[in-house]
Amino acid sequence: MGLGNSPFPFSPPSDPPPPKKKRAPNPQGLAEFYHPGKEYNVRVASRYFKGPELLVDLQDYDYSLDMWSLGAMFAGMVLRREPFFYGHDNYDQLVKIARVLGTDALHAYLQKYGIELDPQLEALVGRHQRKPYQRFVTPENAHLANAEALDFLDGLLKYDHAERLTAKEAMAHAYFAPVRAAEEAARKASAAGGGGGGGS
């Protein structure tokens, strides 16, 4: 799940409140290492990039939350629709997600983790079929939203945080093959250029 043993802290853009007190968001942000079984504040991250776990009050989230946020930002960039999930409040944010990912997968996720939605939120979410990302491809974004990009997006935007790509898996995805090829070519060129002998 998540980044596993990554040394990098997850950094949503606001501080959690200290015990029994409320605290204004800190522009410096929150840097936190995650520990299995520990519960965390769900009042983190900008609304448009909040993962489903935050929106359903699942407090024992982990680094995989970052991968959802990456997916939400990536969707906005390649599909030219920023933000991709444009909720007016946290309830509406989950509604916007459900209209794309569908409610069958949402209910399976809730059942797996023993989560019950607030009745008002459940009524707002309603019932929706999953929309394939190809439906968001237009002549204006087709040059960005290729098959590899949409597959990468699908691996990030999962309700279940345990099913999302890890950072290591994301970096190994076919979407980044051109980057890896360019790096390898640069490495070989550097090695070849540095292999010459000295001057007279």
Side-chain angles (χ1 to χ4, degrees), residues 100-113:
V100 177
L101 300 189
T103 48
D104 287 347
L106 172 60
H107 290 134
Y109 168 63
L110 297 174
Q111 183 175 8
K112 177 179 177 179
Y113 292 97

Side-chain angles (χ1 to χ4, degrees), residues 1-4 60-64 113 160-164 166:
M1 289 174 57
L3 299 185
D60 56 343
Y61 55 84
D62 60 20
Y63 294 104
S64 56
Y113 292 97
D160 191 343
H161 48 279
E163 296 178 2
R164 294 174 201 151
T166 64

Side-chain angles (χ1 to χ4, degrees), residues 84-96:
F84 186 65
F85 299 116
Y86 189 24
H88 299 294
D89 53 39
N90 284 351
Y91 274 15
D92 191 46
Q93 190 67 20
L94 186 62
V95 172
K96 295 300 191 290

Side-chain angles (χ1 to χ4, degrees), residues 114-127:
I115 301 168
E116 292 187 10
L117 291 183
D118 176 89
Q120 181 185 356
L121 176 56
E122 187 167 8
L124 288 171
V125 168
R127 300 287 296 182

Side-chain angles (χ1 to χ4, degrees), residues 20-186:
K20 299 182 180 179
K21 291 183 180 180
K22 289 191 175 182
R23 186 175 179 183
N26 184 339
Q28 296 293 324
L30 165 69
E32 181 69 86
F33 287 97
Y34 287 87
H35 306 281
K38 183 177 177 180
E39 293 187 346
Y40 295 92
N41 192 328
V42 298
R43 295 175 64 84
V44 296
S46 299
R47 181 191 310 138
Y48 306 135
F49 311 110
K50 281 181 181 286
E53 53 266 55
L54 300 180
L55 300 170
V56 300
D57 293 330
L58 181 66
Q59 291 184 276
D60 56 343
Y61 55 84
D62 60 20
Y63 294 104
S64 56
L65 178 60
D66 281 351
M67 305 312 290
W68 174 276
S69 299
L70 171 62
M73 288 186 282
F74 184 75
M77 290 187 294
V78 300
L79 297 175
R80 293 290 181 89
R81 180 173 150 167
E82 299 186 54
F84 186 65
F85 299 116
Y86 189 24
H88 299 294
D89 53 39
N90 284 351
Y91 274 15
D92 191 46
Q93 190 67 20
L94 186 62
V95 172
K96 295 300 191 290
I97 292 170
R99 287 179 178 174
V100 177
L101 300 189
T103 48
D104 287 347
L106 172 60
H107 290 134
Y109 168 63
L110 297 174
Q111 183 175 8
K112 177 179 177 179
Y113 292 97
I115 301 168
E116 292 187 10
L117 291 183
D118 176 89
Q120 181 185 356
L121 176 56
E122 187 167 8
L124 288 171
V125 168
R127 300 287 296 182
H128 303 282
Q129 295 294 319
R130 178 182 173 88
K131 290 184 176 70
Y133 293 114
Q134 287 82 354
R135 287 184 58 178
F136 298 97
V137 178
T138 67
E140 290 72 30
N141 64 29
H143 64 293
L144 299 171
N146 57 31
E148 290 80 10
L150 297 184
D151 185 72
F152 182 56
L153 182 61
D154 185 56
L156 297 171
L157 294 182
K158 303 283 190 185
Y159 283 117
D160 191 343
H161 48 279
E163 296 178 2
R164 294 174 201 151
L165 294 173
T166 64
K168 185 175 182 179
E169 290 168 343
M171 289 188 293
H173 192 274
Y175 179 74
F176 294 108
V179 177
R180 292 191 294 271
E183 287 182 341
E184 179 64 14

